[in-house]
C-alpha cells in the first residue's frame, strides 16, 4: 500500500497517469485529500468507481491518530501526542494566541542534538518524519479547529527534531502548506526553528521561500553555548550568527534569536553586553525565554528584576527584544515531556 498523504499534485498526477488516467484526476484527488480533508476514497464522489476501487486496493491516506491530549487550565494551550501507523509518536501543540491559532510541529521523532535543556533529546532520535507526517500533524489540528469555523493560522516548526537535518522533507512540507490545492498558507506564516545547522541556513536562504527563521542561541560565547548545545562544537556561534545575518539580508525577514534565560548561567550584565556585540547591525530580534526550573541541573528562572534588566539592556542598545509569555506551563509545554512520559511507561 502506498501512502499518498504528503504527495504533491505532480506526484499524484504522475501516479494516476501511470494507471492510464487523465491528468485532471490528480487535481480532483488532491482536492478531496487536502481541500476537503477526506480520507476515505469511497467518499470521493466525482471519481469513477473503478478509480476509487483501485485507489482503495493500492493506496492509503495515512494520517495521524491521537494517543493523548493535555489541555492547560486556561484552555489556551493543548498538547497532543499523535501516532503514525508504525507506532512512532510525536508531540504537536496548539496555542490559541491573540493573533490566531498557532501550532508547533515536530520534524523528527525524538532528536539527537543533545541540547542540555531539552526533554526531546533524552531518548535520542527514532527517525526523520516525512512531509506527509508533518502535514498530518497540521491537518489533525486544522480539522479539529474547522468544527468551530477556525483554522491553523501560523506554524512554528519547533517541536521535537532539528528541521535542518531533515531538510528535504521539511522543505517539501513547507511548500505543500503553501500550495493552493493544500492549505494555501503564506510562507510568512511559517517559522522554522534551528539549533544552527550553518550550511543549511545558507541553503534555505537560496530557496526563495521567505519563511521566518528562528535560531536557538542561548549563550553569547562559545564555551557556554557548547555546554548548552553540543552542536556549537561543529558550528560555532560566530558562524551561526553570520549565517543568520545572510538569511536576513537575502530574504528581508528579521531573524529571531532564541535565548533561554537561566539564573546565574547566562543572565549577567557581561553576557547581555556580549549578546549586543554579537548581533549589532543585524536584522535580528531576540526572544528571551525565562527557563522553567530544571531540578536535576539546579537551573532556576532568573528573578523578574534580572529578566527586566536583560530585556532593557538589549532594548537600550537597539536590539528588538521580546520576553516569551508563559503558555501551558501546567501541561508541561516544554517539548518532549508528554512523549517521554509515554515512552517511560513503556
Ligand atoms: S532544543 Fe530542538 S534541537 Fe535541541 S535537542 Fe531539543 S528538539 Fe533537538
Amino acid at each position: 500500500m502506498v501512502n499518498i498523504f504528503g504527495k504533491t499534485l505532480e506526484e499524484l498526477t504522475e501516479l494516476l497517469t501511470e494507471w492510464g488516467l487523465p491528468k485532471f484526476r490528480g487535481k480532483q484527488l488532491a482536492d478531496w485529500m487536502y481541500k476537503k480533508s477526506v480520507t476515505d476514497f469511497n467518499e470521493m464522489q466525482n471519481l469513477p468507481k473503478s478509480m476509487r476501487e483501485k485507489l482503495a486496493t493500492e493506496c492509503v491516506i495515512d494520517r495521524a491518530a491521537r494517543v493523548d491530549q493535555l489541555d492547560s487550565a486556561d484552555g489556551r494551550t493543548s498538547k497532543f501526542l499523535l501516532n503514525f501507523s508504525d507506532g512512532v509518536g510525536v508531540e504537536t501543540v496548539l496555542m490559541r494566541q491573540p493573533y490566531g491559532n498557532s501550532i508547533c510541529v515536530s520534524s523528527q521523532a525524538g532528536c539527537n542534538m543533545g541540547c542540555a535543556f531539552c526533554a526531546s533529546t533524552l531518548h535520542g532520535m527514532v527517525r526523520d518524519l516525512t512531509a506527509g507526517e508533518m502535514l498530518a500533524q497540521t491537518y489533525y489540528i486544522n480539522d479539529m479547529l474547522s468544527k468551530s469555523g477556525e483554522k491553523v493560522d501560523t506554524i512554528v516548526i519547533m517541536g521535537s527534531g532539528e528541521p535542518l537535518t531533515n531538510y528535504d522533507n521539511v522543505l517539501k512540507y513547507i511548500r505543500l502548506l503553501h500550495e493552493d490545492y493544500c492549505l494555501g498558507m503564506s510562507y510568512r506564516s511559517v517559522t522554522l526553528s534551528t539549533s544552527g545547522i550553518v550550511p543549511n541556513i545558507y541553503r534555505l536562504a537560496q530557496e526563495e521561500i521567505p519563511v521566518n527563521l528562528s535560531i536557538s542561541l542561548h549563550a553569547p560565547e562559545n564555551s557556554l553555548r557548547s555546554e548548552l548545545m553540543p552542536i556549537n562544537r561543529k558550528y560555532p556561534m560566530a558562524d551561526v550568527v553570520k549565517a543568520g545575518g545572510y538569511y536576513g539580508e537575502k530574504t528581508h525577514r528579521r531573524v529571531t534569536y532564541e535565548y533561554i534565560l537561566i539564573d546565574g548561567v547566562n543572565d549577567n550584565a557581561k553576557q547581555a553586553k556580549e549578546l549586543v556585540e554579537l548581533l549589532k547591525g543585524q536584522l535580528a530580534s531576540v526572544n528571551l525565554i525565562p527557563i522553567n526550573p530544571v531540578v536535576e541541573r539546579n537551573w532556576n528562572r532568573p528573578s523578574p528584576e534580572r529578566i527586566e534588566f536583560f530585556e532593557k539592556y538589549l532594548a537600550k542598545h537597539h536590539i528588538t527584544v521580546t520576553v516569551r509569555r508563559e503558555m501551558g506551563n501546567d501541561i508541561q509545554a516544554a517539548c518532549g515531556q508528554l512523549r517521554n512520559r509515554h515512552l517511560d511507561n513503556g
Side-chain angles (χ1 to χ4, degrees):
M1 288 290 227
V2 181
N3 178 20
I4 58 169
F5 194 75
K7 285 197 182 293
T8 61
L9 175 59
E10 293 70 30
E11 289 169 334
L12 291 172
T13 306
E14 195 186 324
L15 177 81
L16 297 181
T17 48
E18 274 169 23
W19 292 359
L21 291 162
K23 275 188 174 174
F24 73 92
R25 296 290 183 205
K27 178 70 170 52
Q28 288 178 317
L29 180 56
D31 277 351
W32 281 110
M33 188 162 66
Y34 295 132
K35 281 247 164 276
K36 303 193 178 81
S37 196
V38 165
T39 55
D40 182 348
F41 297 119
N42 269 323
E43 288 177 31
M44 302 182 177
Q45 289 305 328
N46 60 354
L47 305 184
K49 190 155 181 278
S50 56
M51 176 180 164
R52 280 184 271 147
E53 281 169 2
K54 191 164 166 67
L55 281 166
T57 47
E58 300 196 16
C59 301
V60 64
I61 297 175
D62 209 357
R63 302 241 305 236
R66 191 188 65 171
V67 177
D68 204 352
Q69 176 177 346
L70 289 173
D71 299 304
S72 64
D74 64 9
R76 286 163 54 218
T77 307
S78 301
K79 180 184 272 200
F80 304 91
L81 180 63
L82 302 177
N83 264 20
F84 304 113
S85 55
D86 64 352
V88 164
V90 296
E91 292 181 2
T92 312
V93 182
L94 164 64
M95 294 155 285
R96 295 171 183 89
Q97 307 272 21
Y99 52 81
N101 294 308
S102 181
I103 66 166
C104 178
V105 167
S106 293
S107 58
Q108 293 172 325
C111 185
N112 59 13
M113 289 293 129
C115 300
F117 44 81
C118 177
S120 285
T121 198
L122 292 177
H123 293 271
M125 189 182 78
V126 181
R127 64 172 176 81
D128 284 335
L129 299 190
T130 63
E133 288 167 335
M134 288 175 252
L135 201 60
Q137 297 172 60
T138 314
Y139 269 76
Y140 177 82
I141 296 184
N142 204 54
D143 281 1
M144 196 184 77
L145 291 169
S146 71
K147 289 179 191 138
S148 52
E150 294 174 87
K151 62 178 175 46
V152 169
D153 298 302
T154 55
I155 294 178
V156 290
I157 308 171
M158 205 183 263
S160 65
E162 166 48 67
L164 292 186
T165 61
N166 184 16
Y167 192 89
D168 292 341
N169 285 320
V170 168
L171 261 280
K172 186 178 181 190
Y173 164 61
I174 294 172
R175 290 204 157 99
L176 269 168
L177 289 172
H178 181 68
E179 292 290 356
D180 279 340
Y181 62 80
C182 197
L183 291 175
M185 294 182 75
S186 94
Y187 287 125
R188 285 159 190 250
S189 58
V190 177
T191 300
L192 184 150
S193 170
T194 179
S195 58
I197 310 298
V198 169
N200 284 350
I201 293 176
Y202 285 105
R203 198 173 156 198
L204 186 65
Q206 308 291 343
E207 300 278 0
E208 303 202 337
I209 51 167
V211 293
N212 304 301
L213 184 67
S214 158
I215 297 178
S216 299
L217 199 59
H218 305 317
E221 38 98 6
N222 273 317
S223 60
L224 178 60
R225 190 166 187 267
S226 294
E227 221 178 278
L228 298 175
M229 304 180 67
I231 190 67
N232 190 67
R233 295 192 188 103
K234 186 162 184 195
Y235 301 119
M237 196 184 61
D239 294 352
V240 173
V241 171
K242 197 168 156 207
Y246 179 79
Y247 189 86
E249 274 168 33
K250 186 88 185 149
T251 62
H252 307 294
R253 306 297 292 152
R254 187 183 292 275
V255 173
T256 303
Y257 289 92
E258 307 284 343
Y259 195 100
I260 288 182
L261 276 175
I262 313 172
D263 185 35
V265 174
N266 63 356
D267 66 339
N268 67 34
K270 181 169 165 280
Q271 289 159 323
K273 189 163 179 269
E274 285 169 341
L275 188 56
V276 166
E277 284 301 312
L278 192 65
L279 301 180
K280 210 163 56 183
Q282 234 193 62
L283 182 62
S285 65
V286 172
N287 188 23
L288 298 174
I289 311 159
I291 197 168
N292 288 326
V294 181
V295 185
E296 299 80 17
R297 291 187 183 268
N298 200 20
W299 281 348
N300 293 303
R301 171 183 295 250
S303 65
E305 295 73 35
R306 174 65 35 188
I307 296 169
E308 197 185 332
F309 160 79
F310 213 90
E311 180 189 7
K312 289 219 163 117
Y313 187 92
L314 297 187
K316 199 171 116 198
H317 291 85
H318 315 294
I319 305 262
T320 309
V321 57
T322 50
V323 180
R324 185 181 287 182
R325 281 182 310 113
E326 298 193 38
M327 286 196 86
N329 267 355
D330 55 331
I331 60 161
Q332 304 176 315
C335 75
Q337 291 176 351
L338 177 62
R339 176 171 171 268
N340 286 349
R341 203 174 72 191
H342 280 256
L343 291 175
D344 291 340
N345 292 342

